[in-house]
């Protein structure tokens, strides 16, 4: 039999080379294990898995744990675009310029999330995403509702959610089980692919010695939201990369649009970088198999890996931007009110 793999060997080599670097191998508290990582790179139009690595260092175990496909990990804020922004914008509950109050607040069941970067007062959705403010996203989740958010996540290929996940903490990645890097990649690829989810696959077909196809890959594919909604999400997700207060500014690639979102869980147990370009979607997770706090030179190691790999992968590719679909228009917005700018407003910007 011949297995026709979706792997791009050049890209796979780029990932494996990065994962062999000793700089990412942090010793555990007991000295008996090290930190780990996983990365998946997809062609978001076809769902083909071009590269997949499920552990740091040299591979010495036959069919060992592949953290990219098998490890369920807490997502932290990397879930915000999927669970909050996608359904909220699709259902016209809010826009990128809607104002939310970023201040200390206690929600139902005494849920009181905090912010890593302090409180900013009244800010737009765009600004809240840029530095990943938590309170506004929980306020948005109240309006979206966790039930609707779960429906959207499942439509984007997430299979590990439970009834216990139907609460406001879902907005910040507080999950019962977690999500694999592969399924996070498939979900982000939905945005990159103009709102169409395509199930990730590792092979296209298997043929026998005579060339006859004995097994053909079957992929689930369906539209989750419109191309217009996807484009607004793409433009929003450029903010963490291009904004003055962005959490992923180190992920920029010269001449190529980059959309990205970081994720950090409580006690620094998990680090994520989820993002895409017009060419590829990629997700990186970093942490310990048994939860331990991660301290990596005041950097997000998942983001460092993502940036190093994706810059090499895009080296030599033609400059590319996210293309706006039809029926997308822009307006001049007053950043202080989130409304259409009127005479006298000096703090303005263009919004989709």
């Amino acid at each position: 039999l011949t297995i026709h793999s979706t792997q791009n060997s050049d890209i796979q080599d780029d990932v494996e080379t990065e994962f062999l670097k000793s700089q990412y191998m942090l010793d555990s508290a007991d000295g008996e294990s090290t930190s780990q990582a996983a990365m998946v790179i997809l062609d978001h139009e076809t769902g083909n898995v071009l590269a997949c690595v499920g552990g740091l260092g040299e591979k010495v175990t036959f069919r060992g744990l592949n953290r990219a496909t098998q490890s369920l990990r807490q997502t932290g804020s990397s879930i915000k675009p999927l669970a909050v922004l996608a359904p909220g914008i699709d259902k016209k509950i809010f826009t990128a310029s809607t104002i939310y109050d970023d201040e200390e607040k206690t929600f139902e069941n005494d849920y009181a999330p905090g912010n890593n970067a302090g409180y900013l007062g009244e800010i737009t959705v765009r600004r809240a995403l840029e530095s990943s403010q938590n309170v506004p996203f929980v306020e948005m989740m109240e309006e979206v509702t966790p039930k609707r958010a779960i429906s959207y996540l499942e439509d984007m290929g997430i299979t590990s959610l439970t009834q216990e996940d139907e609460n406001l903490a879902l907005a910040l990645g507080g999950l019962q089980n977690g999500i694999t890097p592969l399924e996070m990649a498939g979900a982000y690829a939905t945005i990159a692919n103009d709102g169409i989810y395509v199930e990730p696959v590792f092979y296209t077909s298997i043929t026998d010695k005579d060339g006859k196809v004995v097994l053909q890959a079957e992929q689930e594919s369906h539209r989750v939201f419109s191309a217009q909604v996807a484009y607004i999400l793409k433009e929003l997700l450029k903010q963490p990369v291009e904004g003055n207060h962005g959490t992923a500014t180190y992920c920029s690639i010269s001449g190529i649009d980059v959309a990205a979102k970081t994720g950090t869980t409580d006690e620094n147990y998990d680090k994520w970088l989820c993002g895409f370009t017009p060419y590829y979607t990629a997700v990186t997770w970093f942490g310990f198999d048994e939860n331990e706090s991660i301290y990596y030179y005041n950097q997000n190691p998942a983001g460092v890996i993502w940036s190093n790999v994706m810059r090499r992968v895009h080296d030599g590719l033609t400059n590319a931007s996210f293309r706006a679909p039809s029926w997308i228009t822009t307006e001049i917005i007053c950043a202080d009110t989130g409304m259409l700018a009127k005479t006298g407003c000096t703090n303005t910007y263009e919004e989709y």
Side-chain angles (χ1 to χ4, degrees), residues 228 325-329:
Q228 289 82 3
S326 59
W327 304 105
I328 283 286
T329 60

Side-chain angles (χ1 to χ4, degrees), residues 172-324:
L172 309 183
L175 303 170
Q176 184 77 8
N177 295 324
I179 301 173
T180 66
L182 177 64
E183 290 195 350
M184 286 294 284
Y188 267 82
T190 304
I191 303 174
N193 193 34
D194 298 330
I196 298 174
Y197 169 74
V198 181
E199 182 181 2
V201 291
F202 288 83
Y203 71 95
T204 55
S205 64
I206 298 176
T207 55
D208 63 16
K209 60 183 177 64
D210 299 318
K212 180 182 178 181
V213 175
V214 297
L215 187 62
Q216 188 80 37
E218 296 182 3
Q219 291 171 271
E220 174 69 23
S221 178
H222 55 262
R223 179 168 292 283
V224 181
F225 39 79
S226 69
Q228 289 82 3
V229 168
Y231 183 72
I232 292 171
L233 292 171
K234 292 175 189 179
E235 287 296 317
L236 273 171
L237 283 166
K238 288 167 59 178
Q239 203 68 28
V241 180
E242 300 178 0
N244 293 331
H245 307 280
T247 58
T249 54
Y250 48 82
C251 291
S252 63
I253 301 173
S254 179
I256 294 176
D257 276 354
V258 176
K261 183 69 189 77
T262 55
T264 300
T265 60
D266 290 347
E267 309 297 331
N268 282 330
Y269 285 159
D270 300 89
K271 295 286 189 178
W272 292 79
L273 199 294
C274 305
F276 53 84
T277 69
Y279 290 100
Y280 305 115
T281 295
V283 162
T284 305
W285 165 85
F286 188 100
F288 287 88
D289 288 335
E290 300 294 332
N291 285 336
E292 288 191 33
S293 297
I294 299 162
Y295 301 103
Y296 188 81
Y297 314 110
N298 293 319
Q299 294 177 301
N300 176 353
V304 174
I305 292 171
W306 193 98
S307 178
N308 288 344
V309 170
M310 290 293 272
R311 283 178 179 171
R312 285 199 298 271
V313 167
H314 287 77
D315 186 36
L317 296 180
T318 304
N319 289 356
S321 302
F322 299 130
R323 290 180 293 180

Side-chain angles (χ1 to χ4, degrees), residues 4 7-8 11 43 62 106 122 133 140 161 165 214 220 224 236 243 252 258-259 272 307 316 319 332 339 351:
H4 299 267
Q7 176 180 295
N8 180 312
I11 297 178
D43 178 331
F62 177 66
T106 300
E122 293 188 343
Q133 303 300 114
M140 288 180 241
L161 302 174
D165 293 325
V214 297
E220 174 69 23
V224 181
L236 273 171
S252 63
V258 176
W272 292 79
S307 178
N319 289 356
I332 302 300
M339 306 297 287
E351 186 62 89

Side-chain angles (χ1 to χ4, degrees), residues 31-174:
E32 295 184 1
S33 62
T34 66
S35 54
Q36 285 294 344
M39 188 170 193
V40 177
I41 301 180
L42 297 177
D43 178 331
H44 41 250
E45 293 184 359
T46 64
N48 288 351
V49 177
L50 304 177
C52 178
V53 174
L56 291 172
E58 185 179 354
K59 307 304 180 291
V60 296
T61 303
F62 177 66
R63 297 188 68 181
L65 174 65
N66 186 332
R67 295 163 186 84
T69 62
Q70 295 174 294
S71 290
L72 295 169
R73 304 297 308 196
Q74 300 296 309
T75 65
S77 293
S78 63
I79 204 171
K80 288 174 178 175
L82 309 174
V84 182
L85 297 183
I89 291 173
D90 187 37
K91 293 299 183 182
K92 299 180 175 60
I93 296 170
F94 50 76
T95 71
S97 60
T98 300
I99 295 285
Y100 285 91
D101 199 0
D102 182 28
E103 63 178 8
E104 289 188 71
K105 183 176 180 180
T106 300
F107 296 87
E108 63 180 31
N109 299 320
D110 293 325
Y111 180 48
N115 285 336
N116 292 327
Y119 299 93
L120 303 179
E122 293 188 343
I123 55 173
T124 63
V125 170
R126 179 179 289 276
R127 179 62 182 84
L129 179 67
E130 180 178 328
S131 57
S132 200
Q133 303 300 114
N134 287 334
V135 175
F137 274 90
V138 180
E139 293 175 329
M140 288 180 241
M141 179 61 82
E142 279 191 309
E143 298 176 346
V144 168
T145 74
K147 184 175 182 179
R148 176 181 283 145
I150 286 175
S151 176
Y152 271 77
L153 288 168
E154 290 176 341
D155 275 352
M156 287 184 270
I158 306 300
T159 62
S160 53
L161 302 174
T162 69
Q163 283 189 329
E164 286 78 8
D165 293 325
E166 196 174 313
N167 62 74
L168 294 180
L170 175 63
L172 309 183

